[in-house]
């Protein structure tokens, strides 16, 4: 079930995702203009904007002029609650059903069927889920390390309580200060 978010919280979250993507693709010392265009697609179970559309592209304009501003980030909100008959709406309905025997989405359906029903696919899906879980644990540890550092705790104690190496603590702290 989707957690209720206020629109400002949602927009901050999307901005955060964009900055994390930028951080992951831009090497330290590289120029900002080397950033690739990024597409952030936020899929919601509900119609966040209450306008009855399946797809809401976000467009940034300069002031009251309606002059488009393009910073290379493209944000698209997709609403899974409305079925307007579009291909995107059909895909959202497919995602909501999660039926591995529904072959309506071509190659995507074939892949879902493999991952959910065949032995090799199930194993592969479990490995990916484990990797995502471990990444989540590391991200939580990183957040705790940064908070502890901001509270003035010594790096050695931070490493001990966060159960990570002192080198990793120093790296995370340095990145948070950059």
């Amino acid at each position: 079930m989707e957690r209720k978010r206020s629109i400002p919280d949602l927009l901050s979250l999307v901005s955060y995702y964009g900055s994390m993507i930028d951080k992951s693709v831009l090497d330290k010392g590289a120029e900002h203009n080397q950033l690739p265009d990024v597409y952030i697609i936020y899929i919601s179970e509900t119609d966040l904007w209450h306008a009855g559309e399946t797809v809401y592209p976000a467009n940034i304009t300069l002031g009251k002029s309606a002059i488009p501003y393009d910073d290379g980030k493209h944000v698209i909100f997709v609403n899974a609650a409305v079925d307007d008959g579009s291909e995107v709406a059909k895909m959202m309905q497919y995602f909501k059903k999660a039926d591995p025997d529904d072959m309506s989405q071509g190659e995507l359906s074939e892949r879902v069927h493999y991952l959910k029903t065949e032995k090799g696919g199930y194993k592969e899906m479990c490995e990916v889920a484990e990797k995502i879980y471990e990444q989540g644990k590391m991200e939580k540890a990183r957040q705790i390390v940064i908070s502890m550092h901001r509270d003035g705790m010594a790096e050695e104690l931070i490493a001990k309580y966060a159960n990570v190496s002192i080198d990793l603590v120093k790296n995370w702290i340095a990145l948070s200060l950059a």
Side-chain angles (χ1 to χ4, degrees), residues 70-114:
D70 182 7
D71 64 355
K73 286 210 181 43
H74 310 277
V75 178
I76 302 167
F77 295 92
V78 177
N79 166 17
V82 172
D83 185 352
D84 62 7
S86 68
E87 290 301 313
V88 173
K90 288 176 188 171
M91 186 177 291
M92 292 303 102
Q93 298 310 310
Y94 173 80
F95 286 159
K96 286 168 62 173
K97 287 188 289 184
D99 179 0
D101 295 321
D102 175 352
M103 301 306 281
S104 66
Q105 298 297 312
E107 289 182 29
L108 174 63
S109 295
E110 290 173 18
R111 184 69 175 158
V112 168
H113 180 81
Y114 167 73

Side-chain angles (χ1 to χ4, degrees), residues 33-79:
N33 63 2
Q34 293 175 303
L35 282 171
D37 278 16
V38 172
Y39 288 81
I40 300 170
I41 301 171
Y42 186 93
I43 299 173
S44 173
E45 293 178 333
T46 60
D47 188 355
L48 297 168
W49 311 109
H50 308 289
E53 297 183 33
T54 301
V55 177
Y56 297 96
N59 300 307
I60 302 171
T61 58
L62 298 172
K64 297 176 185 176
S65 68
I67 297 170
Y69 172 75
D70 182 7
D71 64 355
K73 286 210 181 43
H74 310 277
V75 178
I76 302 167
F77 295 92
V78 177
N79 166 17

Side-chain angles (χ1 to χ4, degrees), residues 8-20:
D9 285 348
L10 176 63
L11 298 176
S12 292
L13 184 64
V14 169
S15 179
Y16 171 76
Y17 291 152
S19 65
M20 294 304 292

Side-chain angles (χ1 to χ4, degrees), residues 16 134-165 168-173 176:
Y16 171 76
E134 289 301 321
Q135 287 173 343
K137 280 181 26 182
M138 288 304 283
E139 175 58 22
K140 186 66 177 172
R142 186 191 68 77
Q143 292 171 358
I144 290 169
V145 164
I146 301 307
S147 294
M148 293 169 96
H149 177 260
R150 287 185 181 141
D151 287 346
M153 190 174 280
E155 292 175 351
E156 294 77 18
L157 279 177
I158 294 172
K160 176 183 175 184
Y161 293 132
N163 198 27
V164 295
S165 73
L168 189 55
V169 167
K170 289 179 180 182
N171 186 20
W172 283 343
I173 291 170
S176 75

